[in-house]
Amino acid sequence: MTDLRGLAASESCNRDSGAPVQARQKRTWRSYSVYLGLALIFIYCLAPFYWMIVSSLRRTADIFDNTLLPAPFSLENYAKVFDGSTMFGQALLNSLIVAGVTTVAALVLGIFTAYAISRLNFRFKSVILGVIIATSMFPGISVVVPLLRFFTDLGWINTYQAMIIPNLSFAIPLAVWNLTTFMKQLPFDLEEAAMIDGCTKWQAFRKVLLPLAAPGVFTTAILTFIHSWNEFIIALSMINDPAIQTATVAISKFTGATEFQAPFGEQMAAGVIVTVPLVIMVLVFQRRIVEGLTAGAGK
C-alpha cells in the first residue's frame, strides 16, 4: 500500500515538473518566432537601401554585378555627383531651405491651432479639426495643374514659395493633428496653478504648457521635415531652373554620357547622400520620436 502511494506521488511530481518545462518551451518558441519576424521585417525594409549603397560604390563598368559587396570599391560615382555639372550641392541646399522653412512655419501655425482646439471652448471644434485633416487627403498630383496655373499668374514659378506653400498643405494638418492629440492629454491644473501664481495665459502657455509639449513638437518637426525633404511632384512641376530645384528633382534629371545611357551609379550615390542624413537623424532622435508618439497614451 505504501509503495502504491509513493508511486502515485512520484507520478504527480513528474506531471507537475513537466508543466513548467512545456511552458518554458512555449515561451522559447514564441521568442524565436518574434525574433524571426523582426529579422524578416528588418531585411525587407533595409535590403533596398543596402543595395543602393553597394551599387553606389561600384564602378560604372561593374554596376550590374550581383555580388553582395562591390569589388573593387570605388568612389567615382560620388565624385561625379559633385563634379559641378549636376549642381547637386546647390540642390541639397535648396532642399534644406524648403524643408526647414516648411517645418518652422508648420510648427508655429500648428502649435497655436492645436492649443486653441485643445484648450479653448467654442462651437464646431470637431468640424474644424475634421476639415483640417481632410485637406491633407488630396494627393499631390491632383492639385498640380491648378497650382501651376495659379502660381504662373502670380509669377511664382521657379521660386521657393512655390514649393513651400504646397508642402504646408500637408505639414500643417499633420502638426495640428499630432499636437492637438498631445495637448489634450496635458492636465489643465498646471496652467491654472501657474495663473494663480501670477502668470498670464500667454506666460502659462509659454513657460508651462509648451515645455511639456516638447516631445510632441519634436516628433512633429521630424516627421514634417522628412516629408518636405522627400517631396518630389510639386518641386518637379513648379521648378525648371537648376539653381532652384531640390535634391529629389536633381536626381531624376541626371544624364549619362550618352542619350541612351542611364547613370544608375550616380543616381544611387545621390540617393545615399539624400537618405543618410534622414537615417542618422532618426537614429539619433529615435527616443524623442517614440516619446512624442506614445506620450499621450501614457498620461
Side-chain angles (χ1 to χ4, degrees), residues 7-291:
L7 181 60
S10 176
E11 292 178 352
S12 177
C13 291
N14 290 335
R15 286 195 301 270
D16 293 340
S17 62
V21 173
Q22 294 177 353
R24 286 195 298 270
Q25 290 177 346
K26 289 182 179 179
R27 287 196 297 268
T28 300
W29 282 109
R30 187 176 303 170
S31 299
Y32 286 156
S33 62
V34 170
Y35 290 139
L36 178 61
L38 291 175
L40 292 176
I41 295 174
F42 183 81
I43 294 173
Y44 177 79
C45 293
L46 292 186
F49 183 62
Y50 171 77
W51 197 251
M52 182 171 64
I53 295 176
V54 170
S55 298
S56 70
L57 295 172
R58 299 185 194 277
R59 298 177 301 180
T60 303
D62 304 327
I63 194 66
F64 293 109
D65 287 354
N66 293 323
T67 56
L68 293 179
L69 292 175
F73 283 88
S74 174
L75 296 177
E76 69 174 60
N77 293 318
Y78 292 91
K80 291 179 181 178
V81 167
F82 290 105
D83 65 358
S85 61
T86 60
M87 298 184 66
F88 190 68
Q90 179 65 38
L92 288 174
L93 178 60
N94 294 333
S95 291
L96 183 61
I97 293 173
V98 172
V101 173
T102 300
T103 301
V104 172
L107 286 180
V108 172
L109 296 174
I111 287 172
F112 289 111
T113 305
Y115 177 81
I117 293 175
S118 63
R119 285 299 198 258
L120 304 181
N121 292 321
F122 57 91
R123 299 177 63 184
F124 306 117
K125 284 201 304 183
S126 299
V127 175
I128 293 174
L129 185 60
V131 171
I132 292 174
I133 299 304
T135 58
S136 67
M137 296 182 180
F138 295 96
I141 192 65
S142 67
V143 298
V144 165
V145 175
L147 285 177
L148 185 61
R149 175 64 185 273
F150 181 59
F151 289 162
T152 300
D153 293 339
L154 293 177
W156 281 9
I157 300 301
N158 291 324
T159 61
Y160 289 122
Q161 58 265 32
M163 295 179 283
I164 292 171
I165 291 178
N167 282 344
L168 287 174
S169 64
F170 171 84
I172 291 177
L174 173 65
V176 171
W177 180 262
N178 283 347
L179 294 174
T180 299
T181 303
F182 190 86
M183 288 185 181
K184 282 182 178 179
Q185 307 300 326
L186 300 178
F188 288 89
D189 298 342
L190 296 175
E191 291 176 83
E192 294 176 353
M195 287 187 286
I196 290 173
D197 289 339
C199 289
T200 63
K201 200 169 188 66
W202 165 250
Q203 289 174 331
F205 166 76
R206 183 170 56 87
K207 296 182 178 181
V208 177
L209 185 65
L210 199 57
L212 291 176
V217 173
F218 198 85
T219 302
T220 304
I222 292 177
L223 296 178
T224 302
F225 185 89
I226 290 174
H227 173 267
S228 301
W229 180 269
N230 291 329
E231 200 283 322
F232 176 73
I233 294 296
I234 298 296
L236 178 65
S237 304
M238 304 301 167
I239 306 299
N240 52 45
D241 183 359
I244 305 295
Q245 66 187 6
T246 57
T248 53
V249 177
I251 294 173
S252 69
K253 294 185 177 181
F254 282 179
T255 56
T258 63
E259 180 182 359
F260 302 101
Q261 180 182 359
F264 293 118
E266 297 173 37
Q267 290 175 336
M268 293 293 182
V272 171
I273 295 170
V274 169
T275 306
V276 165
L278 300 182
V279 174
I280 294 175
M281 183 173 64
V282 171
L283 291 177
V284 171
F285 299 114
Q286 61 178 333
R287 186 172 63 87
R288 290 273 189 171
I289 296 174
V290 174
E291 286 178 358

